[in-house]
Amino acid sequence: MANGLLFRGASPCLHPAAAETATSSADSGRGHGAVTIGDSRPRGVALRVGGSSRRREFSFITMASRDHSSLTQQLLEFQHDTVDEVGAEHDPFMDLKARFMDFKQQNYVEKFSNYLNLAEQQTPKFMVVACADSRVCPTSILGFQPGEAFTIRNIANLVPPYEHGGSETSAGLEFAVNSLQVQNVLVVGHSRCGGIQALMSMKDDSSSGSFIKKWVSFGKNARLSTKAAAGNLSFDMQCTHCEKESINSSLLNLLTYPWIEKRVNECTLNLHGGYYNFVDCTFEKWTLEYREGMEGGSKYAIKNRSTWS
């Protein structure tokens, strides 16, 4: 079964600022390089050059150390007037602004009562786990409207097993299943997945500091199954096989969550797989059946499989 970790990189932005004037004797006891959290004033940072005892003074503003509440206050105080945007011809947000205004006029205004209801609560029928690939937006592909699908996206649409512990994906599952009481969980994979290609390219004894490789390595069971079933095929065909294998691996991982298994056994929750091929624009859909005493002694089977083309 595939398991994994979500990753998020964060690094403080340092911007050079003008050198501070000499501090007064009253401040001479302060240590160089001390930065107070929440204080946006520049602080002196001492740098020893070439092993010399001389020290050059630099001043930086650590953006990450600014008090976030002061930034929020700026947003609250902002006057929502229409102004000419500087450098608009090069601003990528101009397209987004136009799309938003179209959405507001053609969707929000026309379905205003629906959005009033959504402002009070959401009752989605679907929880979707999809890949973060920019070519694979489940809202666009499957036509989900606001309020219809609670969605989590990550590299290679992996679901970590319950024993792995907390992650954004497991937190989303907990909220969707236990609080929103969704009726369906849909894991959507896709063609030419870069995450699966990275997984299939890894060496068995590979160790890397790459966040991506560490993440996709939790799909190693899907990789091993692919090697056993399709190891004689080309690399591209192996990746295609693994793209679907990893979806089923994630579906089985869903059943390691006790509250998901409980609702599946109670027939109040269904688990589905989906595969979007953006090369020929087809979509495969299937449902995982889970119950004791099935033919062959297995507890798992695929049912209701269909292809939309």
Side-chain angles (χ1 to χ4, degrees):
M1 291 182 286
N3 48 9
L5 290 167
L6 289 181
F7 61 89
R8 178 179 290 114
S11 60
C13 299
L14 298 178
H15 294 272
E20 289 183 288
T21 57
T23 55
S24 65
S25 59
D27 292 334
S28 61
R30 291 180 178 172
H32 289 294
V35 178
T36 302
I37 298 298
D39 190 344
S40 62
R41 292 175 297 168
R43 299 285 186 170
V45 179
L47 177 64
R48 191 178 302 277
V49 181
S52 168
S53 59
R54 293 179 299 125
R55 303 202 301 179
R56 292 183 183 177
E57 301 294 333
F58 292 88
S59 181
F60 294 92
I61 296 176
T62 306
M63 301 301 289
S65 70
R66 287 185 175 178
D67 188 345
H68 59 80
S69 63
S70 67
L71 299 178
T72 304
Q73 188 62 33
Q74 291 179 41
L75 292 175
L76 294 174
E77 294 173 354
F78 176 73
Q79 299 298 314
H80 294 276
D81 297 326
T82 301
V83 296
D84 292 331
E85 301 191 35
V86 179
E89 65 275 13
H90 304 297
D91 187 355
F93 281 91
M94 292 306 293
D95 282 342
L96 299 185
K97 178 181 177 181
R99 294 176 199 176
F100 172 76
M101 297 310 297
D102 286 343
F103 161 77
K104 185 172 183 179
Q105 294 300 321
Q106 299 175 15
N107 197 309
Y108 181 84
V109 172
E110 292 181 5
K111 302 175 182 178
F112 184 65
S113 60
N114 181 49
Y115 282 94
L116 284 180
N117 292 332
L118 288 175
E120 298 300 322
Q121 65 174 348
Q122 58 170 326
T123 56
K125 291 183 172 63
F126 282 89
M127 160 71 176
V128 177
V129 180
C131 185
D133 192 303
S134 63
R135 301 166 293 183
V136 188
C137 177
T139 298
S140 296
I141 298 165
L142 299 173
F144 286 119
Q145 297 301 305
E148 291 184 346
F150 188 84
T151 305
I152 292 289
R153 298 180 68 178
N154 61 45
I155 299 295
N157 43 270
L158 297 175
V159 174
Y162 177 78
E163 57 268 23
H164 171 65
S167 69
E168 288 89 341
T169 301
S170 55
L173 287 167
E174 181 179 8
F175 182 71
V177 174
N178 291 343
S179 297
L180 298 179
Q181 298 284 301
V182 296
Q183 300 168 19
N184 304 277
V185 177
L186 171 63
V187 179
V188 180
H190 66 95
S191 58
R192 298 184 180 179
C193 179
I196 295 299
Q197 291 172 8
L199 172 63
M200 293 301 297
S201 300
M202 291 177 61
K203 304 299 182 183
D204 291 334
D205 57 350
S206 175
S207 61
S208 171
S210 165
F211 289 125
I212 296 174
K213 289 184 178 179
K214 287 182 178 178
W215 163 246
V216 300
S217 66
F218 290 99
K220 60 185 179 182
N221 286 339
R223 176 177 177 270
L224 291 173
S225 297
T226 297
K227 288 293 186 181
N232 61 323
L233 302 179
S234 68
F235 178 76
D236 287 346
M237 294 184 71
Q238 288 183 47
C239 287
T240 298
H241 187 282
C242 192
E243 286 160 359
K244 297 179 181 181
E245 188 74 48
S246 68
I247 297 170
N248 286 325
S249 180
S250 287
L251 291 176
L252 295 183
N253 279 349
L254 286 170
L255 290 170
T256 65
Y257 293 78
W259 23 273
I260 290 180
E261 183 186 29
K262 179 176 183 292
R263 286 199 54 197
V264 169
N265 283 326
E266 293 171 347
C267 298
T268 59
L269 179 66
N270 296 302
L271 307 182
H272 312 278
Y275 181 78
Y276 170 52
N277 187 332
F278 53 67
V279 177
D280 58 10
C281 196
T282 59
F283 193 91
E284 294 180 53
K285 171 265 175 187
W286 62 92
T287 298
L288 177 68
E289 185 176 14
Y290 173 67
R291 58 183 174 82
E292 299 286 349
M294 286 194 291
E295 185 177 351
S298 175
K299 296 187 293 185
Y300 313 104
I302 296 296
K303 66 176 183 179
N304 300 334
R305 183 174 183 175
S306 60
T307 300
W308 308 334
S309 60

